[in-house]
Amino acid sequence: MSTFHEKVVYQIYPKSFKDSNGDGVGDLKGIIEKIPYLADLGVDVLWINPFFISPQKDNGYDIANYVEIDPLFGTMEDFEELIAVTHKYKMEIMLDMVLNHTSIEHDWFQRALKGEKKYQDYYILREPKADGSHPTNWVSKFGGPAWAPFADTGKEYLHLYDVSQADLDWRNPDVRKELFNVVNFWLEKGVKGFRFDVINVIGKDEVLIDAEDGIGKSLYTDRPIAHEFIHEMNQESYGRYPNIMTVGEMSSTTIENGIAYSNPENEELSMVFSFHHLKVDYLDGEKWSKTPFDFMELKELLNDWQEGMSKGNGWNALFFNNHDQPRAISRFGDPVNHFEDSAKLLAQTIHLLRGTPYVFQGEELGMTNPEFQEITDYVDVETHNAYKELQEKGLPHEEIMEIIKEKSRDNSRTPMQWTHEKNGGFTTGEPWIKLAENYHEINVEKERNEGTIFNFYKKLIQLRKEMPVISEGNYRGIMMEHPSVYSYVREHEGEQLLVLNHFYAEPVTIEIPEEFLTRPSQYLIGNGTKRALTASLELGPYETIAFYFEVDKKEAKNS
Ligand code: NOJ
């Protein structure tokens, strides 16, 4: 039985994957239709973003019923069929559990509003301060204060995200019991994995206080009690089943906490998503800014997390793309001049690291940001809030749009590009969000006929299954001072892999350290010309190469 070290996860954003009934929104039947495509890619696990009953204020992350399928996406029968079909193709389903908050349309919140004390205790309600200001000065991650009036009770409820997403009080044992029941419900249905949304912010203190920085993050992120809650959830739900793969989405976390969440000894989660490496194009920490990415910072962060998690026996989820991030090829690559090479460079950089790789839908085709021109083309609540805030700060419309074009979460949420036909073959109806216009050139059909990116991903996924040095090897960063190449070494029982990733267009010559020149090596995989490892090695634009060294087994044993 393979472990999650050998697996690769494919993320499906269901709204935008494949529409089977022409209503413009992707659905479960659409996913079922495309299972053979995903099986061909070779992925093992399908993480599907939330498709539960939801008013869709935050595209399904505002859940009104955790155990029913939103009719927008299909029925429970469709879901059962999906499980059966994925099993037929030897794949598993990973569900997205949004347990930090519910939609304010959830029955619990509605009953709380009607005055039921039991359900009022499910949420975090507080009196305003004596001067009438909010209970604390915390800000919502989507902009504005983190508190909103709780009907006309005079109290306010906490919402770390949108005003329609009320934070649950995990300190209440009844809440925990309800949530663990939800996880168990889906386990019973045959789900084999869970992605836990912002799970490191569930541990709020009993007494909430103002934050010195006026934001509040440190007062609710990675609190020791969050670890206790996650451990309890493990013991009460997925920890009771064999081989369940879990990943926690960790907002602004630390390596130390990443280790604690994912070290198997602690029985919390299998692995964590951290995001520091995706903030390297934030100007002074501000997402809504426009600045070139800082390559040295990117590689240092990847390196620190790789080394740190390796030392502490933690496990990273590896990714450059997801539904909250702009397309990595538009961000760190060059889709105009070096389309295939930069797509492959980003893929290889991630897939040969220590951890479990995640492929976000369309990444395997090199899908790019859509470059929408109008604010009305964007749907995302965070984007619209940011637009308003930047306007209030006095930025002109054109400048705001330049930022939004680069940073909006909708960059990754445009429909999957299946064919060159109308709406990229995604829907026969009116898509809920526009497509990137380049679907004529970038689409599955064309990629399968004449492209090389899909097959490159396929090879990387296959290599992870075949080579323990990839799935199990230690990690060591080398040549860390180099300004345009990120190089690392993986080692396992005498086998070694040297991975060289060149992130820029100007060719560069690098000097290979002596230790790699004394033994025979093989060119394993890359996007340039197949060649031997030499003391001086020229790397072309966005070139990535991995060399493999098989060390004499006797030597390995003696060392
Ligand atoms: C993280 C999710 O990935 C994001 O899409 C969502 O808006 C927030 N959590 C709130 O649930």
Side-chain angles (χ1 to χ4, degrees), residues 20 36-37 91 142 252 278 319 379 384 398 451 492:
S20 73
Y37 167 76
M91 289 188 279
F142 289 170
S252 306
L278 296 177
F319 70 110
V379 177
H384 284 276
E398 291 69 30
H492 182 71

Side-chain angles (χ1 to χ4, degrees), residues 88-119:
K88 202 171 115 204
Y89 283 89
K90 305 217 170 350
M91 289 188 279
E92 302 289 2
I93 296 289
M94 171 185 266
L95 288 193
D96 208 322
M97 295 281 103
V98 190
L99 308 182
N100 174 66
H101 43 263
T102 70
S103 161
I104 55 173
E105 289 188 20
H106 195 288
D107 191 46
W108 301 336
F109 196 86
Q110 288 300 315
R111 291 173 78 165
L113 279 179
K114 288 189 190 117
E116 281 188 53
K117 170 88 173 66
K118 173 176 161 71
Y119 292 102

Side-chain angles (χ1 to χ4, degrees), residues 253-272:
T253 192
T254 60
I255 295 176
E256 195 192 352
N257 276 288
I259 293 169
Y261 290 121
S262 61
N263 184 320
E265 275 174 24
N266 295 351
E267 299 178 312
E268 294 186 25
L269 300 165
S270 316
M271 66 189 91
V272 297

Side-chain angles (χ1 to χ4, degrees), residues 58 61 98 101 142 161 165 195 197-198 249 323-324 409 413:
D58 184 21
Y61 282 92
V98 190
H101 43 263
F142 289 170
Y161 294 85
Q165 294 163 304
R195 177 258 189 198
D197 190 63
V198 294
E249 187 204 25
H323 64 291
D324 292 330
R409 303 194 296 181
R413 298 177 179 185

Side-chain angles (χ1 to χ4, degrees), residues 246-295:
T246 55
V247 54
E249 187 204 25
M250 303 301 172
S251 165
S252 306
T253 192
T254 60
I255 295 176
E256 195 192 352
N257 276 288
I259 293 169
Y261 290 121
S262 61
N263 184 320
E265 275 174 24
N266 295 351
E267 299 178 312
E268 294 186 25
L269 300 165
S270 316
M271 66 189 91
V272 297
F273 283 117
S274 68
F275 296 91
H276 302 280
H277 67 295
L278 296 177
K279 297 183 179 174
V280 297
D281 53 2
Y282 290 12
L283 190 61
D284 300 326
E286 172 54 48
K287 166 171 171 168
W288 299 100
S289 60
K290 197 177 147 153
T291 185
F293 82 100
D294 183 335
F295 171 69

Side-chain angles (χ1 to χ4, degrees), residues 12-202:
I12 294 178
Y13 197 67
K15 260 189 139 166
S16 298
F17 191 62
K18 178 73 177 91
D19 175 19
S20 73
N21 62 357
D23 66 357
V25 178
D27 45 44
L28 297 180
K29 279 205 185 314
I31 301 176
I32 295 172
E33 191 186 315
K34 297 298 181 186
I35 293 292
Y37 167 76
L38 299 170
D40 186 25
L41 182 59
V43 293
D44 307 274
V45 179
L46 307 179
W47 156 26
I48 311 177
N49 293 87
F51 47 74
F52 316 104
I53 302 260
S54 161
Q56 300 287 326
K57 293 272 190 283
D58 184 21
N59 280 347
Y61 282 92
D62 47 324
I63 296 178
N65 186 327
Y66 286 108
V67 291
E68 280 183 30
I69 313 278
D70 198 302
L72 197 59
F73 297 106
T75 62
M76 193 59 90
E77 286 70 46
D78 295 341
F79 181 70
E80 283 159 5
E81 187 187 341
L82 174 65
I83 293 261
V85 177
T86 44
H87 285 174
K88 202 171 115 204
Y89 283 89
K90 305 217 170 350
M91 289 188 279
E92 302 289 2
I93 296 289
M94 171 185 266
L95 288 193
D96 208 322
M97 295 281 103
V98 190
L99 308 182
N100 174 66
H101 43 263
T102 70
S103 161
I104 55 173
E105 289 188 20
H106 195 288
D107 191 46
W108 301 336
F109 196 86
Q110 288 300 315
R111 291 173 78 165
L113 279 179
K114 288 189 190 117
E116 281 188 53
K117 170 88 173 66
K118 173 176 161 71
Y119 292 102
Q120 291 185 345
D121 290 346
Y122 275 32
Y123 294 92
I124 302 180
L125 307 181
R126 295 289 186 274
E127 303 280 349
K129 292 200 191 106
D131 65 0
S133 61
H134 296 298
T136 68
N137 61 354
W138 303 0
V139 294
S140 149
K141 289 173 190 275
F142 289 170
W147 296 94
F150 184 66
D152 53 4
T153 60
K155 290 189 180 172
E156 299 189 7
Y157 67 92
L158 178 70
H159 64 91
L160 293 183
Y161 294 85
D162 187 50
V163 62
S164 66
Q165 294 163 304
D167 281 55
L168 286 162
D169 186 0
W170 272 69
R171 285 184 177 268
N172 179 343
D174 291 344
V175 167
R176 300 204 296 280
K177 204 164 161 218
E178 297 260 22
L179 297 177
F180 302 160
N181 282 344
V182 168
V183 178
N184 284 324
F185 173 88
W186 291 109
L187 282 164
E188 291 292 307
K189 288 259 173 227
V191 165
K192 288 286 170 24
F194 296 98
R195 177 258 189 198
F196 291 102
D197 190 63
V198 294
I199 199 70
N200 65 332
V201 304
I202 57 175

